[in-house]
Amino acid sequence: MTVSRTAYMALGSNLGERDRYLSEALHLLQNHPQIEVIRVSSIYETDPVGYEDQPAFLNMTAAVRTTLGPEELLQLMLQTEQLLGRVRNVRWGPRTIDLDLLWMEQLHWKSDSLLLPHPRMGERLFVLVPLSEVVLQSETELYEFVKECLGTLEGKEGIRLWNRLESTSEFVPSASFED
């Protein structure tokens, strides 16, 4: 019997038609027979972190239901990045699309290619703010983690509400994060 899990991912883009890359990545994922995009966040424009000499990013998060295992999902996400022209020249550098697997329901994972939960998601407002829109209270461990991290990070500098994808009618609207 194949187990279906909820997974949470971060999406970012800072080259070209940034919102189109986010939308296209979601559609490519949705079109996979073992993935259903169930919730998407608003889109936030964010200042670059790490390597700062580059354009601002558009960031968002999505919740998906999948029967793929964590390594299989990661490989599909990397293939999606390649299809959308991602080039890895500079660490934290400019990119057409960046997909990060943040969390998979009730799963802690450690391999050479993947660590779950994502080790730095609690340090990044550009992940936490949109993630707070899609995580449900019933996902207790993640919900409490996001709530706690948002309460400890200083200010909301460098992150601005930008928009919502215009073509998200096929995705379930984001849920508000409740205190």
Side-chain angles (χ1 to χ4, degrees):
M1 183 167 124
T2 306
V3 176
S4 178
R5 287 193 169 96
T6 301
Y8 294 87
M9 60 183 63
L11 299 88
S13 174
N14 76 333
L15 291 177
E17 296 179 59
R18 301 171 302 169
D19 56 336
R20 186 182 66 79
Y21 283 115
L22 296 174
S23 180
E24 190 63 30
L26 287 169
H27 283 95
L28 288 169
L29 293 166
Q30 175 72 19
N31 288 334
H32 190 279
Q34 292 177 275
I35 295 177
E36 177 188 9
V37 177
I38 56 176
R39 288 183 302 282
V40 296
S41 73
S42 301
I43 302 171
Y44 293 85
E45 188 170 54
T46 62
D47 296 337
V49 174
Y51 179 70
E52 295 178 9
D53 187 21
Q54 61 181 318
F57 279 84
L58 291 185
N59 290 100
M60 67 182 304
T61 59
V64 303
R65 288 294 295 169
T66 184
T67 54
L68 295 173
E71 297 284 347
E72 295 168 304
L73 181 56
L74 176 64
Q75 288 309 310
L76 178 65
M77 292 166 69
L78 293 172
Q79 290 169 5
T80 300
E81 288 180 344
Q82 285 184 321
L83 283 171
L84 295 176
R86 168 85 189 256
V87 177
R88 294 174 184 269
N89 288 334
V90 177
R91 183 173 179 162
W92 297 317
R95 58 205 86 152
T96 55
I97 192 71
D98 182 34
L99 302 175
D100 286 321
L101 184 55
L102 303 172
W103 182 279
M104 278 189 90
E105 179 182 338
Q106 302 174 351
L107 187 63
H108 292 260
W109 190 270
K110 185 176 182 178
S111 72
D112 290 341
S113 58
L114 181 63
L115 185 59
L116 289 176
H118 191 289
R120 290 173 302 284
M121 72 177 175
E123 304 164 5
R124 298 173 170 171
L125 282 172
F126 66 86
V127 170
L128 290 169
V129 171
L131 187 57
S132 72
E133 293 183 14
V134 297
V135 67
L136 299 178
Q137 220 168 346
S138 58
E139 184 75 57
T140 309
E141 187 179 353
L142 180 57
Y143 180 88
E144 291 299 325
F145 175 82
V146 171
K147 185 176 174 181
E148 179 181 331
C149 290
L150 279 174
T152 60
L153 290 175
E154 296 288 324
K156 300 285 187 277
E157 301 86 19
I159 183 166
R160 301 158 296 282
L161 180 62
W162 188 77
N163 204 350
R164 292 194 47 83
L165 290 175
E166 291 181 23
S167 60
T168 58
S169 59
E170 70 269 30
F171 306 121
V172 176
S174 63
S176 294
F177 190 74
E178 300 170 9
D179 291 319

